[in-house]
């Protein structure tokens, strides 16, 4: 082996060792960056995601001449965080698209639906008073909220609605818009309904054709 070969070998080894050092350093920097990012994500407050159902139920003749709306959203957080989010209040607002008084709703209770095979119908049961909901990634919530109105005088037409979830943190409330489309035929059906009769308003099926429709459509009977 000549002295030139020896010098060349040492040079190659030096370059390999330098590349190894830079690779290890780069790997460490990337790992540190990922760790810092994950730590920041964990320390960040949870982002609440609310998904509205395909079905909203209405009880046009509730006890005392009132109207009930039943909404069962899915409330969850998509990313893991150290803190949990607490939903302190749920509000529902409906605004007639045309002329008409805006009905007032309040969150009355939480309930659940059970299916009666003998009568082939759903029965509603109260399960809890309105109370704060704890939401984290491991515990999504899917409660049925009953909203009560003393002054909703049903009229045919469109109603623009908003479901509002207030949070215990200093973040702004979560707002989910939707709309109801009450047809004249639906109004006649509701007018003849006995007390404790529930009707489904869907946003995924056209009430006239029975065909699927986009989720951005209004809830209709």
């Amino acid at each position: 082996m000549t002295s030139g070969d020896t010098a060349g070998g040492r040079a190659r080894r030096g370059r390999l060792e330098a590349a190894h050092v830079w690779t290890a350093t780069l790997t460490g920097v990337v790992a540190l960056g990922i760790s810092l990012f994950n730590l920041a994500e964990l320390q960040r407050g949870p982002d609440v995601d609310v998904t509205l159902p395909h079905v909203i139920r209405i009880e046009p003749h509730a006890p005392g001449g009132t109207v009930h709306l039943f909404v069962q959203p899915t409330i969850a957080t998509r990313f893991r965080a150290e803190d949990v989010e607490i939903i302190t209040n749920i509000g529902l607002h409906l605004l007639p698209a045309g002329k008409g008084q805006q009905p007032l709703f309040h969150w009355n209770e939480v309930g659940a639906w059970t299916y009666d095979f003998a009568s082939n119908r759903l029965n509603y049961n109260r399960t809890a008073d309105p109370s704060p909901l704890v939401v984290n990634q491991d515990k999504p919530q899917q409660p049925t909220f009953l909203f009560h109105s003393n002054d909703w005088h049903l009229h045919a037409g469109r109603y623009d609605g908003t479901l509002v979830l207030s949070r215990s943190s200093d973040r702004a409330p979560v707002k989910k818009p939707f709309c109801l489309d009450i047809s004249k035929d639906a109004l006649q059906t509701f007018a003849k309904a006995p007390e404790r009769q529930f009707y489904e308003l869907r946003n995924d099926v056209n009430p006239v054709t029975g065909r699927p429709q986009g989720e951005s459509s209004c809830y209709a009977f």
Side-chain angles (χ1 to χ4, degrees), residues 198-216:
F198 311 107
Y199 296 93
E200 291 185 353
L201 307 175
R202 302 189 67 104
N203 71 345
D204 60 339
V205 177
N206 187 295
V208 177
T209 65
R211 295 180 177 274
Q213 59 186 6
E215 295 183 10
S216 60

Side-chain angles (χ1 to χ4, degrees), residues 166-212:
S166 301
R167 301 188 272 187
S168 62
S169 63
D170 56 0
R171 295 189 174 189
V174 179
K175 298 182 179 181
K176 295 294 292 185
F178 65 94
C179 58
L180 304 180
D181 189 0
I182 307 296
S183 66
K184 292 182 179 180
D185 290 340
L187 193 63
Q188 293 178 358
T189 300
F190 296 162
K192 300 174 183 178
E195 192 173 282
R196 309 303 294 174
Q197 179 70 44
F198 311 107
Y199 296 93
E200 291 185 353
L201 307 175
R202 302 189 67 104
N203 71 345
D204 60 339
V205 177
N206 187 295
V208 177
T209 65
R211 295 180 177 274

Side-chain angles (χ1 to χ4, degrees), residues 21-41:
V21 171
W22 277 106
T23 300
T25 302
L26 181 60
T27 302
V29 170
V30 171
L32 177 61
I34 293 174
S35 298
L36 292 175
F37 175 79
N38 290 335
L39 179 61
E41 287 295 302

Side-chain angles (χ1 to χ4, degrees), residues 10-183:
R10 287 198 298 267
R12 284 194 296 272
R13 286 196 298 272
R15 288 194 296 269
L16 289 173
E17 290 174 356
H20 177 73
V21 171
W22 277 106
T23 300
T25 302
L26 181 60
T27 302
V29 170
V30 171
L32 177 61
I34 293 174
S35 298
L36 292 175
F37 175 79
N38 290 335
L39 179 61
E41 287 295 302
L42 284 174
Q43 292 179 340
R44 189 180 68 175
D47 291 326
V48 175
D49 183 70
V50 179
T51 304
L52 293 177
H54 287 305
V55 176
I56 290 179
R57 291 182 174 86
I58 184 172
E59 183 183 359
H61 289 163
T66 61
V67 179
H68 288 166
L69 277 181
F70 303 84
V71 186
Q72 188 178 15
T74 300
I75 309 170
T77 57
R78 295 187 178 183
F79 305 102
R80 186 175 299 279
E82 288 185 343
D83 293 334
V84 298
E85 186 62 272
I86 299 177
I87 305 300
T88 57
N89 190 48
I90 315 289
L92 183 129
H93 306 290
L94 276 184
L95 182 64
K99 294 183 179 180
Q101 179 184 354
Q102 180 179 0
L104 298 178
F105 285 87
H106 70 269
W107 177 21
N108 192 64
E109 63 189 44
V110 178
W113 297 98
T114 57
Y115 178 67
D116 186 343
F117 288 92
S119 62
N120 191 31
R121 59 175 292 171
L122 288 176
N123 294 318
Y124 172 80
N125 297 289
R126 177 190 179 108
T127 59
D129 294 328
S131 57
L133 300 173
V134 177
V135 183
N136 57 40
Q137 191 183 41
D138 298 327
K139 190 180 179 182
Q141 298 280 356
Q142 201 175 34
T144 296
F145 301 120
L146 187 158
F147 295 97
H148 175 100
S149 177
N150 290 311
D151 61 355
W152 188 14
H153 306 291
L154 286 167
H155 295 285
R158 174 184 170 122
Y159 293 83
D160 292 314
T162 307
L163 187 70
V164 182
L165 290 79
S166 301
R167 301 188 272 187
S168 62
S169 63
D170 56 0
R171 295 189 174 189
V174 179
K175 298 182 179 181
K176 295 294 292 185
F178 65 94
C179 58
L180 304 180
D181 189 0
I182 307 296
S183 66

